[in-house]
Amino acid sequence: MTTPFHGIIGYTITPFSPCGEQLDLPALGQSIERLIESGVHSIAPLGSTGEGAYLSDTEWQQVARHSLECIDKRVPSIVSVSDLTTAGAVRRARYAQQHGADAVMVLPCAYWKLSEAEIIQHYRSIGAAIDLPIMLYNNPATSGTDMPVELILRIVGEVDNVTMVKESTGDIQRMHKLQVLGEGQVPFYNGCNPLALEAFVAGASGWCTAAANLIPELNLSLYQAVAAGDLQQARALFYRQLPLLDFILKGGLPATIKAGLALTGLPVGEPRRPVFGLDDSAKATLRSLLEELHGLHDVA
Amino acid sequence: MTTPFHGIIGYTITPFSPCGEQLDLPALGQSIERLIESGVHSIAPLGSTGEGAYLSDTEWQQVARHSLECIDKRVPSIVSVSDLTTAGAVRRARYAQQHGADAVMVLPCAYWKLSEAEIIQHYRSIGAAIDLPIMLYNNPATSGTDMPVELILRIVGEVDNVTMVKESTGDIQRMHKLQVLGEGQVPFYNGCNPLALEAFVAGASGWCTAAANLIPELNLSLYQAVAAGDLQQARALFYRQLPLLDFILKGGLPATIKAGLALTGLPVGEPRRPVFGLDDSAKATLRSLLEELHGLHDVA
Amino acid sequence: MTTPFHGIIGYTITPFSPCGEQLDLPALGQSIERLIESGVHSIAPLGSTGEGAYLSDTEWQQVARHSLECIDKRVPSIVSVSDLTTAGAVRRARYAQQHGADAVMVLPCAYWKLSEAEIIQHYRSIGAAIDLPIMLYNNPATSGTDMPVELILRIVGEVDNVTMVKESTGDIQRMHKLQVLGEGQVPFYNGCNPLALEAFVAGASGWCTAAANLIPELNLSLYQAVAAGDLQQARALFYRQLPLLDFILKGGLPATIKAGLALTGLPVGEPRRPVFGLDDSAKATLRSLLEELHGLHDVA
Amino acid sequence: MTTPFHGIIGYTITPFSPCGEQLDLPALGQSIERLIESGVHSIAPLGSTGEGAYLSDTEWQQVARHSLECIDKRVPSIVSVSDLTTAGAVRRARYAQQHGADAVMVLPCAYWKLSEAEIIQHYRSIGAAIDLPIMLYNNPATSGTDMPVELILRIVGEVDNVTMVKESTGDIQRMHKLQVLGEGQVPFYNGCNPLALEAFVAGASGWCTAAANLIPELNLSLYQAVAAGDLQQARALFYRQLPLLDFILKGGLPATIKAGLALTGLPVGEPRRPVFGLDDSAKATLRSLLEELHGLHDVA
């Protein structure tokens, strides 16, 4: 299978007004512009970082459409269309397709735990509703559903347009298994920031990361070093950015990336409640982490 | 603290049309009528069993209003108003109050894991928005958020109208801790069906159960046996209903209770997708479990 | 199956000299005398509390023989013969039989995780080597091996002299399952102190407890209250002793029971290193917990 | 800190007679000879693979002495001296030193869970008893004790001769943390076979592996490829040997390595009971995995 998605896939935040209630679409546009200028290989709106789960249907559509308009096909786009109900995910997938997305991403969210048959049918229904490629997304920490590699590959085999896999369990052995059982034919992507180096080493096609809002050069350089087979350089670049990657994982992506954008001159509000923004102490830590990474080109 | 809630708190399902897309409010009314006639002490619409998480806002309001109208104050009512966003939960809590609920129940749902401070603020915001008593609900298996007893009691202490606790982790020691650390002053309720006997023995004020849609006499008799201090009888009644309680826990409450209602003459549709209804084999098992429990009065 | 074991099964500690290196057999005799005088229904040497795992083979034999001589058939005895190797467990089981034990207890210890077939064969080999009844003991927290109820009942079915089950996972639903799947024919015993009340309520034949070294009257009274079907009294007695039961579970049985015996006039040394004895602060807590429980007869 | 240990550290098995009861020291000597001839950088007797936990004290000493005599300082040796008691571990550590070991390895085994203070004191006591460097070994799956990186580094800081760390949790992020918090000054070793590639990429000094009994050339080539910074080659070599590495992890190291040695002409008996040897079907799988890896030099 061929796919236009590789390298650094930058995740967008969803900016809110200071009071937290309104969308701030102009700020969304600016954040996308930054990502494109930084050189990321593609852009993913409305993922976990984009607080897609916290938006009303109307808001979700506004953000999807505006994001796609701003991206304007300059890089490939992949829109997260996850919803607790199959009908809702189908609706969002169709909307994304109608407005020009190049692919959609689907995380099987769960209130009631899903059986394998239910998960397969969920992907089948979405797959039948659109013509776009689908990136299956496994992230039990947020979705409450853990898909073992065998199930993932079964879905890839049974649903034609599920052609890519994003793995975020944090267990590198899942990627080995995707590589081995998928016989190198199923492109997989890493969604766990602190595994960035190992995932590329294990054969991941890309790194899905919100860190690209803050340190795109470091993200891109790591990818390039691995692609060039330069292990020394890749390791140095990885350990250089690891403290920030750990920080954004622990602090929560929407809170930390939004704070980081504000620190670098683009105010985008705070996460929607009940999620808090960073407190002052965490902001200070983030500031010093970012300052330390400023002189990127010294690394080599 | 005094509370009108005790004994058997019956949970309602949310009936859908056969195609699964429309609400079936008349069937909802009939299911509520059944519960009241069976003698349950109070009724809880829109909980996990009621698929509250799978409804649109409009649907949620229709179900809440219709349920409260049908109950019509004949027994106390407690409406689940959980939502992923604080603003959404506040909106639902206000709606429930306006339409005559006696209390609301709040489960802190999570996509991004919540800190203790975020959970406390969530309850504080909802508490400030209404005058009704709130039942705090802990169920990490569905919500993704586990509140230790210490946190629960802190919230009870800090938010005036959080006056009741529903515990569904399945760990009886949590109830011991609620009893001991709460000094017997914080009424707690059991939400884990297979712990029904032990929870009452440990001091639970009530049993929140969807099983009351199917075997209300057995549920009520167990409560009465414990209240009468009749341990032999309580144990016999518990083991009599345990296979059914285990079955509905493992099969998922909406799927099994809906199938059971259909088997007893009240068709209410299936759960909303991606959740499946019971397959034929599971329906057959459920049928024989129900048949076995038919001759209730033999137990004593 | 009939068994002489029921009610309160008191576990012995293994006293060491102050320097920690030598056995103190006279103190062992005194601790057993205390247990018998207190009225426990049977005595279990060399269990987890008895630090059986930390003794050399020679020491283990000395303790086993001396314990059985002191008990002198005044109450039934059950000796823990667990060993990492099957050959070692067989050797200990034979030794216990030769020296007059009424039964043996077997926990399948693991360094390398055991398969179900390996566990079954382990019990089969021990069962074939002796004529005594065997109590199968499940305690994954110490043994690293968790036996599901289905496996336990399979072993009971396949190995003739495995006739009793001790469950210590802390999950009351395991006991429900033993009761239901064992059709009330497999006597089971509770090894998790804070579940004492619920286990009896669920149908446990006995409570295996080291607490009987410190508060035997409370342990016995709880058993009698349940046997008499007096739920109010049972609950009151349970909550009365629960803080101590929680304390000894959290502090570790050898450390807390040994400290408690010293506080009540019988110095028995400390646990063998690397396990520490209680520090001064924990000893003070234990002292006040014991003082509070002194006036037992007020409870009724 | 400098250490002679790096690269491939080969673990020995402990051969038994066919009946399983006696040590087979001549076969032990042959297996060590094979390892040395294969070019491993150092040898580790009596680890998990060597069934050290299943030997009597006398047997343990026989194996330790014979192994050290066979190695005869041709490569550095590191003897596992773990024991459930501190006194036992000290005794074994002294014995290893007296008989010429270059270092010892210590896993803090637990029956009763150990506190951090107890673990630290355990290492302190062993450290004080010998002059050799100690490799701290973290493997919660077998030992029941999980040491977080912060605790590990605290022990390294407080006990002078604890100078190396072996990590076997299977979580690559632990190694990142060792690298970052240890500031690159604490050599760490990988004990989880399927993480071989990632561990070297993350900076591990060596790979502790029993696989070197079966596929030493592949193990060594992987190390060399990473050392040469040749990522393509390292990845190819890793995926080539991964199926075997997965197989021996899942089948248990003593059982699979012993079966593999028998398949390659060196019968060494089976693991000591209750652990089983491989059954015929698993042996057939192992045979075909080994046959597939025979033509090593094709890889490049």
Side-chain angles (χ1 to χ4, degrees):
Chain A
M1 292 168 222
T2 66
T3 160
F5 295 95
H6 69 100
I8 303 304
I9 301 168
Y11 277 63
T12 60
I13 44 78
T14 295
F16 294 119
S17 61
C19 72
E21 290 301 306
Q22 313 298 323
L23 295 175
D24 180 351
L25 295 181
L28 173 61
Q30 290 172 57
S31 73
I32 289 172
E33 211 54 40
R34 274 197 184 197
L35 279 171
I36 290 180
E37 279 167 18
S38 76
V40 298
H41 301 100
S42 50
I43 292 184
L46 284 162
S48 301
T49 307
E51 298 175 71
Y54 297 82
L55 301 180
S56 72
D57 279 344
T58 310
E59 289 173 327
W60 187 91
Q61 292 187 354
Q62 288 179 280
V63 173
R65 188 170 47 192
H66 193 70
S67 299
L68 292 167
E69 286 170 2
C70 291
I71 297 169
D72 197 22
K73 298 274 179 195
R74 289 178 288 172
V75 295
S77 63
I78 179 162
V79 176
S80 293
V81 300
S82 313
D83 189 75
L84 195 59
T85 64
T86 301
V90 163
R91 209 159 42 232
R92 290 182 171 187
R94 286 190 172 130
Y95 189 92
Q97 172 166 304
Q98 283 157 12
H99 291 80
D102 296 298
V104 301
M105 186 175 314
V106 176
L107 177 76
C109 301
Y111 183 87
W112 289 104
K113 291 286 162 277
L114 297 175
S115 69
E116 299 214 338
E118 289 168 336
I119 295 170
I120 293 169
Q121 185 53 41
H122 186 64
Y123 278 101
R124 204 188 295 277
S125 299
I126 300 167
I130 57 172
D131 301 314
L132 298 182
I134 296 173
M135 184 182 282
L136 174 152
Y137 177 21
N138 189 42
N139 189 352
T142 55
S143 72
T145 306
D146 191 5
M147 294 183 279
V149 170
E150 288 81 359
L151 173 61
I152 289 174
L153 292 176
R154 198 177 143 198
I155 296 170
V156 169
E158 292 188 17
V159 186
D160 278 357
N161 43 355
V162 174
T163 56
M164 304 172 280
V165 176
K166 176 180 171 192
E167 236 290 321
S168 295
T169 53
D171 177 5
I172 190 70
Q173 297 192 42
R174 303 276 186 117
M175 295 194 196
H176 296 160
K177 236 175 155 173
L178 281 165
Q179 177 75 17
V180 171
L181 298 184
E183 297 175 1
Q185 300 304 302
V186 180
F188 59 89
Y189 300 79
N190 171 41
C192 176
N193 284 305
L195 287 193
L197 172 59
E198 281 83 9
F200 279 135
V201 166
S205 300
W207 174 15
C208 299
T209 182
N213 288 284
L214 305 181
I215 50 165
E217 304 91 342
L218 279 165
N219 305 150
L220 288 157
S221 304
L222 172 56
Y223 171 65
Q224 287 146 3
V226 176
D230 185 345
L231 186 50
Q232 295 294 102
Q233 174 73 345
R235 185 190 284 145
L237 283 160
F238 171 67
Y239 277 116
R240 189 156 159 68
Q241 61 196 289
L242 180 58
L244 184 72
L245 299 179
D246 277 337
F247 181 85
I248 65 179
L249 183 70
K250 263 163 219 142
L253 292 177
T256 52
I257 301 298
K258 285 185 159 181
L261 285 170
L263 286 172
T264 57
L266 179 55
V268 290
E270 296 209 331
R272 193 159 267 185
R273 295 292 171 109
V275 180
F276 282 3
L278 291 197
D279 63 23
D280 287 345
S281 148
K283 278 183 194 162
T285 306
L286 177 57
R287 177 191 296 275
S288 66
L289 282 167
L290 287 172
E291 281 169 359
E292 225 176 294
L293 296 178
H294 193 64
L296 164 70
H297 303 292
D298 308 345
V299 168
Chain B
M1 292 170 223
T2 66
T3 161
F5 294 96
H6 69 101
I8 303 303
I9 300 168
Y11 277 63
T12 60
I13 44 77
T14 295
F16 295 118
S17 62
C19 72
E21 289 301 305
Q22 312 299 323
L23 295 176
D24 181 350
L25 295 182
L28 173 60
Q30 290 171 57
S31 74
I32 289 172
E33 210 54 39
R34 274 196 184 200
L35 279 171
I36 289 180
E37 280 166 18
S38 76
V40 299
H41 300 101
S42 50
I43 293 185
L46 285 161
S48 301
T49 306
E51 298 175 70
Y54 298 81
L55 302 179
S56 73
D57 279 343
T58 310
E59 289 173 327
W60 188 92
Q61 292 185 356
Q62 288 178 278
V63 173
R65 190 170 46 193
H66 193 68
S67 299
L68 291 167
E69 286 170 4
C70 292
I71 298 170
D72 197 22
K73 297 274 178 195
R74 289 179 288 172
V75 296
S77 63
I78 178 162
V79 177
S80 293
V81 300
S82 311
D83 189 76
L84 196 59
T85 64
T86 301
V90 162
R91 210 160 42 232
R92 290 182 170 186
R94 284 191 173 129
Y95 189 91
Q97 172 166 305
Q98 282 157 13
H99 291 80
D102 295 300
V104 301
M105 186 174 316
V106 176
L107 178 76
C109 302
Y111 183 88
W112 288 103
K113 292 282 162 280
L114 297 175
S115 69
E116 300 213 336
E118 288 168 337
I119 295 169
I120 292 169
Q121 184 55 41
H122 186 63
Y123 278 101
R124 205 190 293 279
S125 299
I126 300 165
I130 56 171
D131 300 315
L132 297 181
I134 296 172
M135 185 183 281
L136 175 152
Y137 178 21
N138 190 42
N139 189 352
T142 55
S143 72
T145 306
D146 191 4
M147 295 182 278
V149 171
E150 289 80 359
L151 173 61
I152 289 174
L153 292 177
R154 198 177 144 198
I155 295 170
V156 170
E158 291 188 17
V159 185
D160 279 355
N161 42 355
V162 175
T163 57
M164 303 171 280
V165 176
K166 176 180 171 192
E167 236 291 320
S168 295
T169 52
D171 177 5
I172 190 70
Q173 297 192 43
R174 302 277 186 118
M175 295 194 197
H176 295 161
K177 235 174 156 174
L178 280 165
Q179 177 74 16
V180 171
L181 298 184
E183 297 176 0
Q185 299 304 302
V186 180
F188 59 89
Y189 300 79
N190 171 41
C192 177
N193 284 306
L195 287 193
L197 173 59
E198 282 83 11
F200 279 135
V201 166
S205 300
W207 175 15
C208 298
T209 182
N213 288 284
L214 305 181
I215 49 164
E217 304 90 343
L218 279 166
N219 305 150
L220 287 157
S221 303
L222 173 55
Y223 170 65
Q224 286 146 3
V226 177
D230 187 344
L231 187 50
Q232 295 293 101
Q233 175 73 344
R235 185 191 284 145
L237 284 160
F238 171 67
Y239 277 116
R240 188 153 161 69
Q241 61 197 289
L242 181 57
L244 184 72
L245 300 179
D246 277 338
F247 181 85
I248 64 178
L249 184 70
K250 264 162 218 143
L253 293 176
T256 52
I257 300 298
K258 284 185 161 182
L261 285 170
L263 286 171
T264 57
L266 179 55
V268 289
E270 297 210 331
R272 193 158 266 186
R273 294 292 172 109
V275 180
F276 281 4
L278 290 197
D279 62 23
D280 286 345
S281 149
K283 276 183 196 162
T285 305
L286 177 56
R287 177 191 295 275
S288 66
L289 281 169
L290 286 172
E291 281 169 357
E292 223 177 294
L293 294 178
H294 193 65
L296 165 71
H297 303 292
D298 307 347
V299 168
Chain C
M1 292 168 223
T2 65
T3 161
F5 294 96
H6 69 100
I8 303 303
I9 300 168
Y11 277 63
T12 59
I13 43 79
T14 294
F16 295 119
S17 61
C19 72
E21 289 301 305
Q22 312 299 324
L23 295 176
D24 180 351
L25 295 181
L28 173 60
Q30 289 172 58
S31 74
I32 288 173
E33 211 53 41
R34 274 196 184 199
L35 279 171
I36 290 180
E37 280 166 18
S38 77
V40 298
H41 300 101
S42 50
I43 292 185
L46 285 162
S48 302
T49 306
E51 298 174 69
Y54 297 82
L55 302 180
S56 73
D57 279 343
T58 310
E59 289 174 327
W60 187 92
Q61 293 186 355
Q62 288 179 278
V63 173
R65 188 170 46 192
H66 193 69
S67 299
L68 291 167
E69 286 170 2
C70 292
I71 297 170
D72 197 23
K73 297 276 180 193
R74 288 179 288 173
V75 296
S77 63
I78 178 161
V79 177
S80 293
V81 301
S82 312
D83 189 77
L84 196 59
T85 64
T86 301
V90 163
R91 209 159 44 231
R92 289 182 171 187
R94 285 190 173 130
Y95 189 92
Q97 172 167 302
Q98 284 157 12
H99 290 80
D102 295 298
V104 301
M105 186 175 315
V106 176
L107 177 76
C109 301
Y111 182 88
W112 288 103
K113 291 286 162 277
L114 297 175
S115 69
E116 299 214 337
E118 290 168 336
I119 295 169
I120 292 169
Q121 184 54 42
H122 185 63
Y123 278 101
R124 204 188 295 276
S125 300
I126 300 166
I130 57 171
D131 301 316
L132 297 182
I134 296 173
M135 185 182 283
L136 174 152
Y137 177 20
N138 190 42
N139 189 353
T142 55
S143 72
T145 306
D146 191 5
M147 294 182 279
V149 171
E150 289 79 1
L151 173 61
I152 289 173
L153 292 177
R154 198 178 143 198
I155 296 169
V156 170
E158 292 188 16
V159 185
D160 279 357
N161 43 354
V162 175
T163 56
M164 303 171 279
V165 177
K166 176 180 172 192
E167 236 291 321
S168 295
T169 53
D171 177 4
I172 189 70
Q173 297 192 43
R174 303 276 186 118
M175 296 195 195
H176 296 162
K177 237 176 153 170
L178 281 166
Q179 176 75 16
V180 171
L181 298 184
E183 296 175 1
Q185 300 304 303
V186 180
F188 58 89
Y189 300 79
N190 171 41
C192 177
N193 285 306
L195 288 193
L197 172 60
E198 283 82 12
F200 279 134
V201 166
S205 299
W207 175 15
C208 299
T209 183
N213 288 284
L214 304 181
I215 50 165
E217 303 91 342
L218 279 165
N219 305 151
L220 288 158
S221 304
L222 173 56
Y223 171 64
Q224 286 146 3
V226 176
D230 186 344
L231 186 51
Q232 294 294 103
Q233 174 73 344
R235 185 191 284 144
L237 283 160
F238 171 67
Y239 277 117
R240 188 155 161 71
Q241 62 197 289
L242 180 57
L244 184 72
L245 300 178
D246 277 337
F247 181 85
I248 66 179
L249 184 70
K250 264 163 218 142
L253 293 177
T256 53
I257 300 299
K258 285 185 161 182
L261 284 170
L263 286 171
T264 57
L266 179 55
V268 289
E270 296 209 332
R272 192 159 268 185
R273 295 293 171 110
V275 180
F276 282 2
L278 290 198
D279 63 22
D280 287 345
S281 148
K283 277 183 195 162
T285 304
L286 177 56
R287 177 191 295 276
S288 65
L289 282 168
L290 287 172
E291 281 169 358
E292 224 177 294
L293 294 178
H294 194 65
L296 164 71
H297 303 292
D298 307 348
V299 167
Chain D
M1 294 170 220
T2 66
T3 160
F5 295 96
H6 69 99
I8 303 304
I9 301 167
Y11 277 64
T12 60
I13 43 78
T14 295
F16 295 119
S17 61
C19 71
E21 290 301 304
Q22 311 299 322
L23 294 176
D24 179 351
L25 295 181
L28 173 61
Q30 289 171 59
S31 74
I32 289 173
E33 211 54 40
R34 274 197 184 198
L35 279 171
I36 290 180
E37 280 166 18
S38 76
V40 298
H41 300 101
S42 49
I43 292 185
L46 285 162
S48 301
T49 306
E51 299 174 70
Y54 297 81
L55 302 179
S56 72
D57 278 344
T58 309
E59 289 174 326
W60 188 91
Q61 292 185 357
Q62 288 179 279
V63 174
R65 189 170 47 192
H66 193 69
S67 299
L68 291 167
E69 284 170 4
C70 292
I71 298 170
D72 196 25
K73 297 273 179 197
R74 290 179 287 172
V75 295
S77 63
I78 177 161
V79 177
S80 293
V81 299
S82 312
D83 189 76
L84 196 59
T85 64
T86 300
V90 163
R91 208 157 45 230
R92 290 181 170 188
R94 284 191 174 129
Y95 189 92
Q97 172 166 305
Q98 283 157 13
H99 291 80
D102 295 300
V104 301
M105 186 173 317
V106 176
L107 177 75
C109 301
Y111 183 89
W112 289 103
K113 293 283 162 279
L114 297 175
S115 68
E116 300 215 335
E118 289 168 336
I119 295 169
I120 292 169
Q121 183 55 40
H122 186 64
Y123 279 102
R124 204 189 294 276
S125 299
I126 300 166
I130 56 172
D131 300 316
L132 298 181
I134 296 172
M135 186 182 282
L136 175 152
Y137 177 21
N138 189 42
N139 189 353
T142 54
S143 72
T145 306
D146 191 5
M147 295 183 278
V149 171
E150 289 80 0
L151 173 61
I152 289 174
L153 292 177
R154 198 177 142 199
I155 296 169
V156 170
E158 291 187 18
V159 185
D160 279 358
N161 42 355
V162 176
T163 56
M164 303 172 280
V165 176
K166 177 180 171 192
E167 236 291 319
S168 294
T169 53
D171 177 5
I172 189 70
Q173 297 192 42
R174 302 277 186 117
M175 296 193 197
H176 295 160
K177 235 174 156 174
L178 280 165
Q179 177 75 16
V180 171
L181 297 184
E183 296 176 0
Q185 299 304 300
V186 179
F188 59 90
Y189 301 79
N190 171 41
C192 177
N193 284 307
L195 288 193
L197 172 59
E198 283 83 9
F200 279 135
V201 166
S205 299
W207 175 14
C208 299
T209 183
N213 289 284
L214 305 180
I215 49 164
E217 305 90 341
L218 279 166
N219 305 151
L220 288 158
S221 304
L222 174 56
Y223 171 65
Q224 286 146 3
V226 176
D230 186 344
L231 185 51
Q232 293 294 101
Q233 175 73 343
R235 185 191 285 146
L237 283 160
F238 171 67
Y239 277 116
R240 189 155 160 69
Q241 61 196 290
L242 181 58
L244 183 72
L245 299 179
D246 277 337
F247 181 84
I248 63 177
L249 184 70
K250 264 163 219 145
L253 293 176
T256 52
I257 299 299
K258 285 185 160 181
L261 284 170
L263 286 171
T264 57
L266 179 55
V268 290
E270 296 211 331
R272 193 158 267 185
R273 294 291 171 110
V275 179
F276 282 4
L278 291 198
D279 62 23
D280 286 346
S281 149
K283 276 183 195 162
T285 306
L286 178 56
R287 177 191 295 275
S288 66
L289 282 168
L290 287 172
E291 281 168 358
E292 224 177 295
L293 295 178
H294 194 66
L296 166 71
H297 303 291
D298 309 346
V299 168

